[in-house]
Amino acid sequence: MGWFRRSGDSLPTLVSVFGAGASSAAGAGALLSPHYVLTCAHVVTDALGKEQTDTGPPARSARLGVELRQGARCHRSTARPVVWVPPRRSPGSNWGEGDLAVLELDEPAVPSMPAVVWQDMTEWLEVRAYHGGGDPGTFADTRVKARDTWYYYADADLSGASIQHGYSGGPLFMQRDLTVAVGLVTHHVMNDRLSSDRQVMRRTLTVPWQHIRDELGRAGARDVVNALSESVTDAGKVPEGAVDRLQELFDSEDRLRTAANRLAGRLGLHMTAEESAPAVLQLEEELAALLFSEGRALATLDELLTDKVDGRRRTALKRLVAYGREGEGVRLLSVGEHERLLGLLTAVNTAHPRLLCQAARQVLQLADHLPEWIDDGTVPEERLAAAVDDLDRDSADMMPPLLRLAVFLSAAVTDKAIRSELDAWCDDVGRRLDRDPSLLAEYRAQASRWVRTRRRPVTRIVVDLSRNDAVGEPYSCHFWRVSEGRAPAATGMSAGPYTAEEIGRTIHRLAGEQGDGEHQPFPLIDVVVGAQHLHMPVDGWTASPGQEEFARFGISAARDLVLGAEYQVTLRLREFYPDTESEKDRCATIERRWAAGRTDPLVIKDGTELRIVYRALRDEHRDASWVVLHGGREFREDFLKLCVALGVPVVLWDREAAHVEHAQRLDSIVGGVALPDLPEAVRSFRHGVYYESRTDAARPAVVWDDPGVVIPTPPDYDDPPDAVTNSGRMAAR
């Protein structure tokens, strides 16, 4: 035990243990950690509907209900017994020994619910127990008075609630500090006869923590015991000289205690009023250990004191913070700065799902190692905190990566209020870190230049394309503009029929209206086709612009523009299964494969058996999001259908490959590109083939099915239009 404890709340976490379908608790328990609950074995036996004298272990499939309460917060979960110490007879005790169980929660406790902090039990401690029903008003106070080989005996005064049935398995908390427990309630001694003034009995049998700890170790649960956090500090992490800097910073005991108490509150910790044992460290020594054990402690102390110290004390503070740049696990941001940033990033991520990865790739382009989530393209909200943690490191950089990332995000967001808050956050963090404001201004200028040139991959032209062999011009076509955060906008053009050249000119015109390739990047082109038309060579179609268009570029000789070389042209499947439920399942699989985050390609070559690939895509490669097909056309036909049918969202192949030996023609694309950059890498490859006299004969084609981009539904002219029906048809698939 030391000065700082994990619980910053005086209210303990109360645990109730239930049987399946039971409305009342069989007993109580103690929260060991977010994953484990400690209780008595006879409580588990009772909850499972067996006799309490039954000492046999629970079945592997046994599940119990567990409810955690801490103040107004409540968390429910199921749990399975993972450690079983049944009651056993002992020659040194009239009551036996053992009677312990550890339950593993299927849903871990929320971080705001503090686990028990343990201390060895001694005689004459005043302790408090709670009924397993979880009502804080059921507290019963008692005092530890004597011990035998296994149990300690506690007697209560004749006032208030008494410990009785339903309290078993619950922790005995210290009355003076309800964040600390010293053992478990296991039995209560009752007098079954009529009571007289000489026969009153309020005696409880308790198992002390020191026996519990040893018993769990003998039962093979040493990892559970080792995971308990009796102290939040690690003196082994303190750099040499850190304690001296603290003594320079705090020149009085009152200042030291005040700062330590405020810091503990910010970190969600509880600071004791005085030493709980003579062997604890001095306060300044344990504070130093806290600063280098808790990731945000050092930055939070800096935030608390930066504007309140000057001269020699400010120098001592900055030297102390500098130690953190070499310390493992020391974070850049304080608790408040981190919470504030997460709130802002959540808003940014909701409005611009791809922006975080794009900005991070730009900021970290010269880094030795990139976080894996950058290649995913998007970061789900539940992974946002982990993504921030990957960059939340103090370093010798004048402008740390996380601060630069916030600067670039601020430059790119469209919401003025969010941009203003991000700018204020950057100013505040930069000032605390003592960074030159001119350096922040320089990075803001860089971010502005990047915003003007970056490509926005969610701005697209969607082209729904169908063959129409009944007439001379073979294609029917519908065109939409899809902008970030907006519903698809129809262009109002007719469905055709069109020739390939007319479609090419239309796409070129629409793309030119959407962007100019410089300040406003060109959109991506999604060509939606049926399953039988995935080999349609749309990327090779040309558009013949008028002479006046080339003249404004200073070009006198006009030449045809190739769609796939000018724009990122990818194919997308309209649907594969004719029945709605099967198609819904395929679309759900596409989303699952994207969400899995695997960015390395699965390469399939001619000669592989179809059934082997089928099994692999359903089993060991069920999360594969990118497949490359190498082989001739007959091979590709079946394997391409299999991939799209099984919900593989991205498939790359060489449309002109005649055999597997042509695989090397795509090496420059497959070997050195991250999945999010694949469409641009393919466009660049086509540009070299069509415009730069590249000798490579490969014609790469890509299926790119992004569930984040809707597929508009063409109007059904056989059905009379009405506002409600047509609006529904335009919804995302």
Side-chain angles (χ1 to χ4, degrees), residues 233-239 281 285-286 288-290 293:
T233 60
D234 182 356
K237 293 184 177 181
V238 179
L281 297 171
E285 293 174 338
E286 190 165 344
L290 177 68
S293 300

Side-chain angles (χ1 to χ4, degrees), residues 187-201:
H187 293 290
H188 57 280
V189 180
M190 298 293 292
N191 189 347
D192 295 329
R193 296 176 300 174
L194 292 176
S195 298
S196 69
D197 60 347
R198 298 176 181 269
Q199 294 174 324
V200 173
M201 182 72 72

Side-chain angles (χ1 to χ4, degrees), residues 130-408:
Y130 291 86
H131 188 272
D135 184 349
T138 60
F139 70 89
D141 292 340
T142 188
R143 177 180 293 179
V144 179
K145 289 188 176 179
R147 64 185 177 92
D148 66 11
T149 305
W150 179 255
Y151 293 104
Y152 276 59
Y153 298 93
D155 283 351
D157 296 333
L158 296 181
S159 64
S162 63
I163 297 174
Q164 51 187 297
H165 181 73
Y167 285 76
S168 292
L172 287 157
F173 296 102
M174 300 280 285
Q175 289 185 32
R176 63 180 175 83
D177 189 344
L178 294 178
T179 67
V180 179
V182 294
L184 292 186
V185 175
T186 183
H187 293 290
H188 57 280
V189 180
M190 298 293 292
N191 189 347
D192 295 329
R193 296 176 300 174
L194 292 176
S195 298
S196 69
D197 60 347
R198 298 176 181 269
Q199 294 174 324
V200 173
M201 182 72 72
R202 277 195 172 186
R203 177 159 293 168
T204 301
L205 275 65
T206 69
V207 183
W209 168 243
Q210 54 267 37
H211 290 177
I212 296 171
R213 181 178 57 222
D214 295 342
E215 194 71 25
L216 293 181
R218 286 192 292 270
R222 181 60 59 188
D223 56 335
V224 176
V225 176
N226 290 340
L228 303 183
S229 51
E230 296 187 3
S231 173
V232 302
T233 60
D234 182 356
K237 293 184 177 181
V238 179
E240 184 177 356
V243 175
D244 294 336
R245 301 291 84 76
L246 276 175
Q247 291 173 340
E248 294 173 10
L249 181 59
F250 301 110
D251 51 9
S252 71
E253 185 71 17
D254 287 343
R255 279 182 170 176
L256 176 62
R257 284 178 176 271
T258 299
N261 195 49
R262 290 185 64 198
L263 177 63
R266 293 286 182 92
L267 298 176
L269 301 177
H270 174 68
M271 184 179 170
T272 59
E274 58 184 15
E275 300 96 330
S276 57
V280 297
L281 297 171
Q282 293 295 316
L283 178 54
E284 61 268 25
E285 293 174 338
E286 190 165 344
L287 178 57
L290 177 68
L291 294 177
F292 296 93
S293 300
E294 283 286 311
R296 304 197 188 284
L298 191 57
T300 303
L301 180 68
D302 187 30
E303 182 183 46
L304 286 170
L305 299 178
T306 290
D307 296 332
K308 295 180 173 60
V309 296
D310 53 20
R312 180 178 57 84
R313 295 182 65 203
R314 182 173 181 82
T315 300
L317 177 62
K318 294 309 173 186
R319 287 179 178 175
L320 190 65
V321 171
Y323 288 136
R325 297 184 185 125
E326 305 298 328
E328 182 180 353
V330 175
R331 302 293 188 179
L332 172 74
L333 301 182
S334 70
V335 170
E337 291 165 349
H338 178 257
E339 292 178 353
R340 187 176 163 195
L341 178 63
L342 272 184
L344 290 170
L345 292 187
T346 300
V348 171
N349 210 38
T350 300
H352 309 278
R354 297 177 183 269
L355 180 58
L356 182 61
C357 292
Q358 294 170 1
R361 179 173 291 278
Q362 179 68 21
V363 167
L364 301 175
Q365 57 183 321
L366 299 180
D368 295 332
H369 173 72
L370 297 180
E372 294 182 0
W373 51 266
I374 287 183
D375 292 334
D376 296 345
T378 60
V379 179
E381 183 175 345
E382 61 272 15
R383 292 172 57 193
L384 199 57
V388 171
D389 285 347
D390 286 338
L391 305 179
D392 191 4
R393 299 286 189 275
D394 200 352
S395 66
D397 294 346
M398 288 303 297
M399 189 62 65
L402 192 56
L403 188 53
R404 281 186 281 140
L405 176 63
V407 169
F408 274 67

